[in-house]
Structure formats: C-alpha cells, structure tokens
Amino acid sequence: MAASPREEDLLDAIVMADARFHGEGYQEGFAEGTHAGITEGKRYGALHGAKVGSEIGCYYGFCSVWRSLLQNCADEKHSKKLKVLDSLLGMIQDFPYEDPTYSKLHEDLDKIRGKFKQLCSLLSVQLDFGFCNKGSELAF
Amino acid sequence: MSWLGAAGIGKCSDEVFDEEANELQLAQREWTNVMEQRAKEGYRDGVDAGKEASLQEGFNQGYKQSAQLMVKSGQLRGTLNALLSWCRFLETGSAFLARISSLLDAVGWYEEKVVQRLGSASQLPQPAELLDAVQDMDLNIDTAQQEECTGSEDSMLFNKAPDPAAAPLKSSSEVVLPDSESHKMADECKSAEQNLNWLIQQTACLMEQLRLSADVIQQVQQLEN
C-alpha cells in the first residue's frame, strides 16, 4: 500500500527533522570539540616537548663545555674523548628534537642517551643517574 | 520534586491522561524531548569528532613551542653540570662547587615552574608576549650584574635570583592582552624570563672566572633573550 504524497512529505519532514537536529548539534559540538582538542593536545604536547627539549639542551650544553675544556688541554690522551664528544655533538645537532612528527624521535633519542652514558664513563664523570632526563619523572 | 507532580505520579488522580488536549501536549513534549535528545547526541558526536581531528595538531603545536623554550634552560643545566664535574677535577675548583650547585638548583627550580605552567595553562606564552616581557624588563639588573661580575667574588657566590616583586616592572597595562588572566601570565613570563636571563649571566660570569674559551661562553650568552 503506497503512502499518499502528503504522508510521504510528513514522513520526510520527520526524518529530516531528526537529521537536522542531530546535524545542528553536531556542528556546535564539532566546534567545541576542536577547540577543546587543540587546548588539550597543546598541553600534553607541551609537557612532552619540554621534557625532550630540556634533555637535548642539557646534553648539548654538557658536551660543548667539555669539548672546549679538552681542546684547550692539547693532551694526546684526550683524543678518544674528543672523538666521542664530536660524534655525540653531531648526533645532537642532526636530531630534530622539536619535530614531534619525526618518526625516529625515540629511536634517535635512545641512541643519544647511550652515547652520553659512554661519554660520561670515559670522562669518569660520576653523575646522578639521569641528571639530564630527570624530566621523565614528570607526571602526565 | 515538581516533576513527580507534573507526571501525575504520587497522586491518585489520573486527570493528566483524561483529556485529549493533554494527550496532544504530552505528544508534543515527547517530540521535543526526542529532538533535544537527537541534538544532544549530535553534539556529543561532534565533540568527539572535533577532538579527534584536532588533538594531534594541538599536540604538535604545543610540543614544538615548549621544546624550543626548554632547550635553552636545558643547555644551561648541561653547561653547569659540565662545570661541576670539571671543578671536581681541579684542585682549585672546590671554591666554585657551592656556587655551581646553587645555580643548578635555581635552573631546576625555573624548569619546574615552567613545566607547572605548561601543565596548567591552556596556552603557551606567545612569542609576542615574551617579546613584550623582555622589552618591559628593568635594565637595572644588567648594570647590577656588571658590577657583580667585576666586584668581589664572595658577594656573588650565594646571591639568589632577583625577587620579581623587588625588581620594578613597568605597568602591565602596556602589554595589550585581552583579560586579567593574560596579564597574570605575562607577569609570570616576565619574572620567569628575568630569572633565566639572570642565571645565564651568572653562568657566563662563572665561566669567565674558570677561564673557559670565549666561544663557549658566547654560546651560553646567546641563550639570553
């Protein structure tokens, strides 16, 4: 039994109203959600970025000073240390620490950490373990 | 509980359902409820979709900004740690240890404050705000710093960072920001930036005294805003 055109219109109106109300709510919600997502994402991103930035900066500062100190010594026995320092400084400078989309961010960071440990034992520097990445204890 | 009454619950009378007019009203109310429900569902779906679409972008923005911000204090921390380990090797180095340690503590404190702010504030300070903050900073600190550099060593050994309240700041009304919250944040930025610059200057002084080469001292000085 076919519905009369009038009934179809009415049915359409009901179905459309349903979609319209949903759509209006959706649009409003989407704008709100986008704003909230940016804000929330920024906060999480900021905490992660702070940790990585601070850690990488710390390695860089540490290596720069030690390199300068050892270079001035002009002692043969420091050549191995200087080699490790140069290689580590190169790794740090090539590391795009500020780019969260870099796919090997964690991989490279771990390599830098490993190299840094090696350097510290070469320099026989007794460091409080993880003095450069103490940030990892930050609560998220 | 007015809704109990409106729904006729709790009353013996069922007059609400007796009249046709009321039935129509009830149907209308039901229709409105259903449509409100649909709008609410749509809103919820929209919020979820909007969040999902923007979280990553927000994360990336926040990550980049704060990584660039914190790499500076990190570098200062690394520099001080290197000086600390170097001074432990030197016979004459022990005189510097306490001062390096207190500077390290101060850098740690600064970083902690910045991270706290990042974790609570919805927005990172914009470069423009930071620029204002730097421009508004009282330059007396620089001259005081110069005097300390050339002055007696003991006096600068255990100096703490300048008290933000004691250092006169220009009125924050010069920084054009929309609301009081932003004023507060700009003020916090000012004192934080001020403290970091002060720590950088102190560290550079220390490096001069330890006779480090000019290029590595310059590297530290360049951290200053």
Side-chain angles (χ1 to χ4, degrees):
Chain A
M1 193 173 74
S4 76
R6 229 188 134 224
E7 276 175 338
E8 260 179 29
D9 281 353
L10 199 65
L11 204 66
D12 271 359
I14 292 169
V15 173
M16 296 264 281
D18 193 76
R20 204 190 70 200
F21 275 94
H22 184 271
E24 276 171 11
Y26 185 91
Q27 274 184 351
E28 200 185 319
F30 193 86
E32 283 284 320
T34 302
H35 183 72
I38 291 277
T39 307
E40 200 176 313
K42 261 192 179 175
R43 210 175 63 229
Y44 283 113
L47 291 172
H48 278 280
K51 209 172 75 174
V52 175
S54 172
E55 184 176 348
I56 277 297
C58 186
Y59 295 145
Y60 185 73
F62 188 88
C63 293
S64 302
V65 170
W66 266 104
R67 188 171 183 277
S68 164
L69 289 167
L70 293 182
Q71 260 181 338
N72 291 347
C73 283
D75 195 329
E76 266 300 299
K77 67 179 178 183
H78 291 320
S79 66
K80 165 102 173 141
K81 294 173 190 168
L82 276 169
K83 217 173 137 188
V84 174
L85 269 169
D86 280 337
S87 130
L88 183 51
L89 277 167
M91 283 163 81
I92 293 168
Q93 272 159 342
D94 290 341
F95 179 58
Y97 72 92
E98 53 173 34
D99 181 9
T101 61
Y102 176 58
S103 59
K104 292 200 292 187
L105 197 82
H106 287 283
E107 202 183 316
D108 284 8
L109 189 57
D110 278 343
K111 279 186 196 156
I112 290 172
R113 282 174 181 156
K115 197 86 177 169
F116 184 73
K117 269 189 201 165
Q118 189 197 343
L119 173 73
C120 285
S121 71
L122 260 178
L123 295 172
S124 34
V125 168
Q126 293 271 326
L127 53 100
D128 304 329
F129 185 70
F131 77 83
C132 270
N133 60 356
K134 69 181 170 83
S136 57
E137 289 153 21
L138 298 172
F140 283 102
Chain B
M1 291 206 187
S2 58
W3 62 271
L4 280 176
I9 300 166
K11 285 186 194 171
C12 292
S13 156
D14 55 353
E15 60 189 2
V16 175
F17 301 101
D18 282 351
E19 296 166 36
E20 234 173 78
N22 277 341
E23 221 165 280
L24 196 66
Q25 215 175 29
L26 207 68
Q28 254 174 1
R29 200 179 297 161
E30 198 180 327
W31 167 258
T32 312
N33 281 345
V34 169
M35 287 306 119
E36 270 176 13
Q37 201 55 44
R38 289 298 290 153
K40 272 185 198 164
E41 279 169 23
Y43 182 84
R44 270 200 298 271
D45 292 347
V47 167
D48 289 347
K51 256 194 177 181
E52 203 177 319
S54 62
L55 260 175
Q56 187 63 49
E57 193 196 323
F59 183 94
N60 292 353
Q61 283 177 17
Y63 181 99
K64 190 168 184 166
Q65 279 178 321
S66 75
Q68 286 169 341
L69 183 76
M70 293 291 282
V71 80
K72 291 182 179 183
S73 54
Q75 192 177 331
L76 195 62
R77 198 153 50 85
T79 300
L80 286 164
N81 269 304
L83 295 179
L84 192 70
S85 52
W86 172 248
C87 284
R88 281 181 182 146
F89 282 119
L90 294 178
E91 278 179 29
T92 54
S94 57
F96 294 95
L97 291 178
R99 185 155 145 230
I100 298 171
S101 294
S102 72
L103 281 173
L104 260 177
D105 285 348
V107 175
W109 181 85
Y110 165 85
E111 289 197 316
E112 213 174 284
K113 288 285 156 199
V114 173
V115 168
Q116 266 175 20
R117 199 181 68 206
L118 293 175
S120 60
S122 55
Q123 288 250 304
L124 286 169
Q126 296 302 304
E129 287 176 41
L130 287 177
L131 193 67
D132 281 338
V134 173
Q135 283 168 349
D136 276 0
M137 273 195 296
D138 191 76
L139 294 174
N140 287 339
I141 286 171
D142 286 344
T143 48
Q145 178 55 36
Q146 291 308 315
E147 282 162 18
E148 275 182 18
C149 256
T150 52
S152 82
E153 274 186 30
D154 291 339
S155 70
M156 59 188 291
L157 277 183
F158 301 103
N159 262 337
K160 291 290 169 206
D163 179 5
L169 293 169
K170 286 185 189 172
S171 159
S172 55
S173 62
E174 285 181 20
V175 187
V176 185
L177 292 164
D179 55 45
S180 63
E181 190 58 29
S182 301
H183 277 294
K184 203 177 139 217
M185 193 186 276
D187 282 345
E188 279 174 15
C189 285
K190 269 183 211 168
S191 52
E193 284 287 314
Q194 223 170 0
N195 284 338
L196 186 65
N197 284 343
W198 189 83
L199 293 170
I200 290 165
Q201 289 158 8
Q202 288 289 313
T203 305
C205 268
L206 194 74
M207 290 168 88
E208 276 168 25
Q209 285 169 6
L210 286 165
R211 292 172 208 284
L212 266 87
S213 65
D215 58 330
V216 77
I217 296 176
Q218 207 183 358
Q219 225 177 52
V220 169
Q221 282 168 334
Q222 276 167 359
L223 293 173
E224 225 182 304
N225 265 313

